[in-house]
Amino acid sequence: MLDIAVAYNRFKFLGDEFLTWLWFVIEQDPSILRNADPDLTSFEIGNRVVLEKKHKKAFERITIKGEDAGLEEAKVALQNGALVAELNLIYRSSQQKWQFTLKGESLNLSSLKTPKIAPPENPDDVAGSVLEKIFLYDKILQFLEKLYKTFIKLRTSNRWQNHEIYLIKKWLKSKS
């Protein structure tokens, strides 16, 4: 059995690869997203992308942020070997919106904003409001878990090496 620190260091690249693949899927194959959640209306890149490129002795970090920031520079960084390290995402379902940042190294969510819920009208409604908020948190966590499972199955299959990498490289070379 691997020591937890050894396993973490050996496989921490998977989170960054997941985020890079997720961006690819958002732009090129949204059917994968809808398979993970049929209620999905849209899933898009938000206002912040952080990319990292590790050289032998150097480390490069590129942050692109802003409401109307273009992602062309981020794609150039990906073409040059960087991976997505953090991604701000917007998930919409019906009339509801979630916004959060997902970090590749640990797959931690931060700055999660769920849809607003109505304040409880009386003390007896507090438990219902808490359960509704828990449901909203769980909805996004379940969605991300399904996407990650899809990614891991793909990443560990022959299809990753034989087909998916080609599609990702083709996407990076295309103008969008």
Side-chain angles (χ1 to χ4, degrees):
M1 179 172 232
L2 285 177
D3 177 71
I4 189 104
V6 172
Y8 176 80
N9 286 322
R10 185 178 293 171
F11 298 110
K12 69 182 178 181
F13 70 93
L14 283 172
D16 293 348
E17 283 189 6
F18 170 64
L19 292 182
T20 305
W21 172 82
L22 189 57
W23 182 3
F24 163 74
V25 167
I26 288 169
E27 289 194 5
Q28 298 295 307
D29 195 358
S31 65
I32 292 173
L33 304 171
R34 286 187 186 77
N35 288 341
D37 185 355
D39 297 334
L40 176 74
T41 304
S42 73
F43 193 55
E44 57 203 53
I45 307 293
N47 59 8
R48 185 167 188 264
V49 177
V50 177
L51 299 109
E52 293 179 350
K53 183 176 180 183
K54 296 165 182 106
H55 304 282
K56 292 179 183 173
K57 294 185 179 182
F59 176 81
E60 186 177 353
R61 178 176 229 160
I62 301 131
T63 302
I64 298 168
K65 57 184 175 179
E67 292 303 321
D68 295 322
L71 298 175
E72 297 82 17
E73 290 179 48
K75 277 194 168 181
V76 169
L78 288 174
Q79 289 171 348
N80 291 322
L83 291 173
V84 179
E86 292 180 29
L87 203 51
N88 183 267
L89 297 160
I90 301 168
Y91 168 95
R92 287 187 174 90
S93 177
S94 302
Q95 300 298 320
Q96 298 180 311
K97 174 183 166 185
W98 289 252
Q99 187 163 358
F100 57 93
T101 298
L102 187 58
K103 298 183 181 202
E105 185 176 341
S106 59
L107 294 178
N108 283 341
L109 263 85
S110 63
S111 306
L112 175 59
K113 294 177 185 140
T114 63
K116 301 266 188 236
I117 61 169
E121 294 179 13
N122 61 55
D124 295 336
D125 294 341
V126 171
S129 293
V130 169
L131 288 174
E132 186 177 356
K133 199 66 166 177
I134 290 170
F135 169 78
L136 294 172
Y137 278 96
D138 190 53
K139 183 168 180 64
I140 203 68
L141 292 172
Q142 293 296 322
F143 174 66
L144 291 171
E145 183 177 325
K146 288 176 185 174
L147 286 175
Y148 192 70
K149 283 181 181 178
T150 301
F151 167 73
I152 290 298
K153 285 179 184 174
L154 179 62
R155 181 64 177 84
T156 57
S157 72
N158 289 336
R159 180 179 164 85
W160 180 261
Q161 205 62 34
N162 299 334
H163 186 69
E164 205 71 14
I165 289 176
Y166 167 77
L167 293 176
I168 292 170
K169 286 180 179 179
K170 184 177 173 185
W171 164 67
L172 288 173
K173 290 178 183 173
S174 70
K175 306 266 190 231
S176 52

